[in-house]
Amino acid sequence: MDFKTVEFKKASPVWLRERGEEQNITVLMQTFVPNESNTELHMAGHCSYQVYINGVFVFFGPARAGRGYYRVDKLPIGKYLTEKENKITVLISGYNCDNFYLLNEPAFFCAEFVSDDTVFGHTGGDAWKMYIYDRKIQKVQKYSFQRTFVEAYDFTKGYPVSSEGLEEVEFDICPAKAFIEREISFPELPEEEMMRFVKGGSAVYNHEKEAELLSAYKGAPLDVVSYIVAESIELTDGTCPDGKCVELNNGFAIAEMKTNITGFVKLELSCESDATIVLTFDELFIDGKVNRSRMGCENEIIYYLKGGEKYTLITAEPYTFKYLNIMGVGGNVTVKYIGMIRLDFNQSEIIKKLNSKADEQIERIYNAAVQTFRQNTLDIYMDCPSRERAGWLCDSFFTSRVERLLSGKSTVERCFLENFLMEDQFKYIEDGMLPMCYPSDHPSHNYIPNWAMWYGVELREYFYRTADRAFIDKAKDKMYALLNFLRKFENKDGLLDRLDKWVFIEWSKCNSLVQDINYPSNMLYYLFKTVLCELYNDESLGKEAEVLRKTIREKSKTEIFFCDNSVYGEDGVAHLSGEITETCQYYAFFTGVASIEEDPELWNIMVNDFGPERAQTGKWEKIYPSNAFIGNYLRCDLLRMAGLNDKLDENIRGYFDFMAKTTGTLWEHNNTSASCNHGFASHVLVWLDHLGYLD
């Protein structure tokens, strides 16, 4: 496969000798360079790295790619080289675990400096020194099923981002890597300070509770079990601190950000005596509490600090929250700065702005949608920047429209789609199928056949946006391999029958109606075949699609509604289940299986009786309601396509304003049970633009 390759002139990839496959190991690499104004640092690696120049955090990378490929960062650093000799420090984390965020591949780092075509200071030579960064505690629990590990630090051993006192280690040259261009802009990393404190009081570490929790703990031996540390601190409400500085002597303070935000937590503090700082965080503040374990995450960070010292603490990985609970136990700590170094799509690249037509409510929704887009669009499109940071198909279909609208480009989309083309055969996934999210590893062998079809649906829109015919041709083999995989499930009527693995329609009643013959899945299959016909001029596939459309209508349409599924009875014949969901109707119209001309009564019901006020009206009680994704989004997009602008405007306000008011971001569900910051949700901007609110 032809990708935009990059070569290092002198550098070789390197990593720890004899410890290359250890989980959650962090190394510090350091070198010195002169103050040449046009110097670039060319680097690549796996899993993630932070670059500090003269102690200042300047970069996080790399941009993710598909298995076997690594994107190269060519970072201009001249403006940071303020000394005669400048200290370059890179913290590299190697995780070596299965997750949805990063591929489980061996860690490495490769770097060289380039100035006026002169290459110097390359890895693999003697310029760089490598140290085990044991101040970041290695044996800790996972942050979530979908991500890697929580962060815990012992800075009683030494300062953050310092090689002093660390063990210098030998490194080996790693096997050769396939390097490709980054293509995506570098993050600007702006800082944002907390807005205010919303609560405070005392915090006492209960050692008896810790012992009780540890005795019941059934996990692997760890040096720090962060949830037990957090659960062992007992809080008592007291005075809420004023200002933005707080003294914590066995106390806590809960800081609020202006909105839900994503990036690296940054604290500046001083310790009079040895102390422990425990951070917990969440997107919500419910009943006066920060729920550290909502969504199945371990939202806690731990610092063991030495008395008589001042610290600037910056997390190694990005997190998402609106509320941050800072607990200080065991000693007196003065926290002078609380904030976030944002890691998101650059504000400077957004060219589409709100105009004077917008009222306060629309402005609030617009701002929340932009925040949501920025925090979920970085090197790939992500579902959420918190629990997963994963590149899910289907979600990307909606987010891709927003990138083009806001920036006039489809750069992130191209890289996102390209990643799926890099593996000839996906690890753990059956031949022909696409991973449900990527880059990631799925040792459970699970996949979502529906989501794979959305790749093709998005591919067509990518072509409309970019006219990039070469990329469409590059994806052809993958698309037809997927088609051939799905054909294995076609029954004598040409319908997908008893699809395997995780058949996903949306987070509602739909997901309990996916067998034996699921009609929303077949509606999407019709659209997928139609797309391939159009992209690759495949007339025979177009004819197949039309037959499939007719069959779906004949088999699933009742007097008014489309039924969700047919189930095989004891007679061996598939009969309609009688179960009907709101979302199934949206799938029918969105895919083109239904139309206003053919189904006018259903269209009228869908437009006027469904929507955000449906629960209050009580209409059509036997039709199961939609959730946010993807039912409500299909609904609003259908209103847009039909030109029902007043109804669309009304629905936007009904669905999204309460989200914008609560977190300043838009949510995965239509309630707070899941992520309150989900990339697809930014698609509301497409509708706002359609309604004339954007210039």
Side-chain angles (χ1 to χ4, degrees), residues 476-494:
K476 182 176 181 178
D477 288 347
K478 275 278 194 291
M479 291 298 91
Y480 275 84
L482 173 59
L483 175 64
N484 290 333
F485 177 90
L486 293 170
R487 285 194 189 281
K488 296 185 298 183
F489 296 93
E490 288 185 6
N491 63 20
K492 61 181 178 59
D493 295 317

Side-chain angles (χ1 to χ4, degrees), residues 126-141:
D126 57 5
W128 292 81
K129 292 184 177 181
M130 180 183 285
Y131 305 85
I132 296 290
Y133 191 65
D134 60 0
R135 290 163 199 167
K136 185 167 181 274
I137 299 171
Q138 182 180 6
K139 294 182 179 180
V140 295
Q141 68 199 95

Side-chain angles (χ1 to χ4, degrees), residues 29 56 76 89 98 124 128-129 149 236 249 271 279 411 482-483 511 523 553 583 620 683-684 695:
M29 293 192 68
V56 177
T89 305
D98 293 323
W128 292 81
K129 292 184 177 181
F149 297 91
T236 303
N249 189 358
C271 301
L279 309 180
T411 307
L482 173 59
L483 175 64
N511 274 4
M523 293 167 182
R553 292 185 60 86
T583 297
W620 303 101
H683 191 273
V684 68
D695 288 334

Side-chain angles (χ1 to χ4, degrees), residues 67 98-104 145-146 388 390-392 420 423 426-430 434-448 501-502:
R67 195 181 306 277
D98 293 323
N99 64 93
F100 288 4
Y101 164 43
L102 298 162
L103 289 168
N104 186 354
F145 173 79
Q146 298 92 342
E388 300 185 21
W392 288 81
F420 283 84
E423 281 196 69
F426 291 103
K427 191 176 181 180
Y428 304 120
I429 305 297
E430 294 181 47
L434 300 178
M436 51 195 177
C437 60
Y438 193 75
S440 57
D441 284 295
H442 304 274
S444 66
H445 304 280
N446 202 12
Y447 57 81
I448 303 178
K501 301 298 181 180
W502 187 14

Side-chain angles (χ1 to χ4, degrees), residues 397-531:
F397 171 84
F398 294 90
T399 313
S400 65
R401 290 176 169 181
V402 183
E403 181 192 9
R404 191 69 173 191
L405 170 71
L406 289 185
S407 70
K409 301 176 184 177
S410 298
T411 307
V412 177
E413 180 180 27
R414 187 185 189 285
C415 292
F416 174 87
L417 293 173
E418 183 181 56
N419 288 345
F420 283 84
L421 305 182
M422 291 180 180
E423 281 196 69
D424 293 332
Q425 169 58 51
F426 291 103
K427 191 176 181 180
Y428 304 120
I429 305 297
E430 294 181 47
D431 191 21
M433 179 48 60
L434 300 178
M436 51 195 177
C437 60
Y438 193 75
S440 57
D441 284 295
H442 304 274
S444 66
H445 304 280
N446 202 12
Y447 57 81
I448 303 178
N450 313 60
W451 264 210
M453 288 187 275
W454 279 102
Y455 186 103
V457 178
E458 181 180 343
L459 194 65
R460 177 172 66 173
E461 291 208 356
Y462 172 78
F463 182 55
Y464 290 163
R465 283 188 281 270
T466 65
D468 187 353
R469 184 69 227 179
F471 189 89
I472 302 304
D473 292 339
K474 187 186 294 188
K476 182 176 181 178
D477 288 347
K478 275 278 194 291
M479 291 298 91
Y480 275 84
L482 173 59
L483 175 64
N484 290 333
F485 177 90
L486 293 170
R487 285 194 189 281
K488 296 185 298 183
F489 296 93
E490 288 185 6
N491 63 20
K492 61 181 178 59
D493 295 317
L495 295 167
L496 294 175
D497 194 328
R498 294 174 177 172
L499 272 174
D500 200 9
K501 301 298 181 180
W502 187 14
V503 183
F504 188 89
I505 307 302
E506 77 151 14
W507 290 118
S508 69
K509 179 68 175 179
C510 293
N511 274 4
S512 65
L513 305 172
V514 297
Q515 297 295 349
D516 292 317
I517 301 172
N518 176 259
Y519 291 110
S521 296
N522 277 285
M523 293 167 182
L524 187 58
Y525 193 36
Y526 157 71
L527 180 58
F528 178 63
K529 286 187 172 184
T530 302
V531 163

Side-chain angles (χ1 to χ4, degrees), residues 556-563 580 585 602 605 620 623:
S556 66
K557 184 76 185 295
T558 64
E559 185 177 349
I560 299 175
F561 298 98
F562 288 88
C563 183
I580 297 173
Q585 317 315 306
L602 175 57
I605 291 169
W620 303 101
I623 308 298

